[in-house]
Structures are given as C-alpha cells and as structure tokens.
Amino acid sequence: MATAMHHLSDYNPADVPSGEGRRFGIVVADWNDQYTYAMRDAAIRTLQAHGVKDDDIVVQHVPGSFELIYATAWMMDNADVDAIISIGCVIRGDTPHFDYICAGTTQGLAELNTRATVPVVYGLLTCNDAQQAADRTGGALGNKGDECAVTALRMADLKP
Ligand code: DLZ
C-alpha cells in the first residue's frame, strides 16, 4: 500500500521477474538533470541487477519532460523494446507552466499506454520544490529510478 513515506528503492527481489533476454528503453529529459540523471542511473543499475544486458538498455535523451511523449512513441515503434521508462522532473515555478507540462506529459504518456503494445512506465516527478526532487532521486525517500525499473521488469513479464 502506498504511504506518504513509501521508500522508492525498497522491494523484495524475489517478487521481480528476471530481465534476462528482455530489452528496455529509457527516455530521459535533460531539464533538472541532476535529478533525472540520478533516476536514469538507478534504473539502469536495477535492470542490470536483474539480468538485463548493457546492450539491451537503450537510452534516449530529450530536452524536457514534454518531449518524453514523442520520444517514447518513437521508441515504441522503432526500438524493439519490451518496456519503456519515461523519466522527467518538473519543479513548480512562479507561473502555471508547471501544471500544463505535468498534465500534458502525463496525458500523453497515458495515451501511449492505451495502445497496449509496449508498456510505458511513468517516471515523471512532479515536485513543489527541489527538496522534494532530491528526496526522491537518491535522498530520504529512495530513488524513483529503482521503482521504475522494477515496474518495467514486471510489465515486460506480462508478455509471454
Ligand atoms: C519550459 C520548462 C519549464 C519551465 N520547466 C520544466 C521543468 O521543470 N521540467 C522539465 O522537464 N521541463 C521543463 N520545461 C521544458 C518543457 O518540458 C519543454 O521542454 C519545453 O516547453 C519545450 O517543449
């Protein structure tokens, strides 16, 4: 059950299917890169820890979170992967821009999942401030990248 203090890196390895022979895509936004790269690196380490080969992890960088939609769709159609992790970090500013990027990106990624071809894992942090981002990218609440990798392994395993 999710709680406010859920630690993003805690999981039981026995519950995670092997990733051997599977291929994963990771799309990473460069905005707020001190957080998104920490998530990317954690996701890669966790996939590797569950048997995914380096050559089977395809990483694509995009400028910002809003571009995650296009690159995820492109990867879905062209990269022959079993699941895609879309990683971004939006931090609230002075204008309503935050709300539009969060809503648009979330909607776009959700729509890609309704294709039911390649599962998309939602690695978008939507934070009120930098501390919330730091807490979730290797800080007090673990690393969202670990959680995304575990989710990707489980979703890839839905396919025979
Ligand atoms: C423009 C913008 C702003 C203000 N803030 C963020 C942010 O906190 N996180 C993020 O990933 N991207 C941000 N962007 C960039 C947009 O996602 C997008 O790249 C641009 O609007 C160009 O489409």
Side-chain angles (χ1 to χ4, degrees):
M1 190 180 76
T3 70
M5 295 309 291
H6 171 68
H7 195 283
L8 296 160
S9 299
D10 278 352
Y11 67 94
N12 182 354
D15 294 338
V16 182
S18 167
E20 222 179 308
R22 298 283 194 197
R23 234 169 107 75
F24 293 87
I26 302 178
V27 186
V28 191
D30 289 338
W31 261 80
N32 296 317
D33 60 6
Q34 67 270 49
Y35 309 117
T36 60
Y37 290 8
M39 285 190 275
R40 174 202 62 193
D41 294 346
I44 291 171
R45 277 195 304 271
T46 299
L47 291 174
Q48 289 168 335
H50 289 275
V52 184
K53 294 197 185 84
D54 293 2
D55 287 350
D56 288 330
I57 303 174
V58 184
V59 178
Q60 178 65 59
H61 285 257
V62 294
S65 291
F66 198 70
E67 287 70 48
L68 290 173
I69 306 161
Y70 178 88
T72 300
W74 188 91
M75 210 180 245
M76 208 174 234
D77 292 341
N78 298 287
D80 189 26
V81 290
D82 296 298
I84 302 170
I85 301 169
S86 299
I87 290 175
C89 175
V90 194
I91 300 180
R92 193 181 288 280
D94 293 335
T95 73
H97 206 78
F98 171 91
D99 302 292
Y100 290 103
I101 295 175
C102 293
T105 305
T106 300
Q107 176 79 21
L109 295 177
E111 279 176 17
L112 292 179
N113 259 332
T114 65
R115 288 189 193 177
T117 52
V118 180
V120 177
V121 177
Y122 183 72
L124 182 69
L125 284 182
T126 59
C127 301
N128 288 320
D129 54 43
Q131 186 60 53
Q132 288 186 344
D135 286 346
R136 289 158 179 79
T137 54
L141 297 176
N143 194 315
K144 180 83 176 166
D146 292 325
E147 184 199 61
C148 287
V150 168
T151 304
L153 287 157
R154 292 186 59 191
M155 293 305 289
D157 198 52
L158 293 182
K159 284 202 288 183

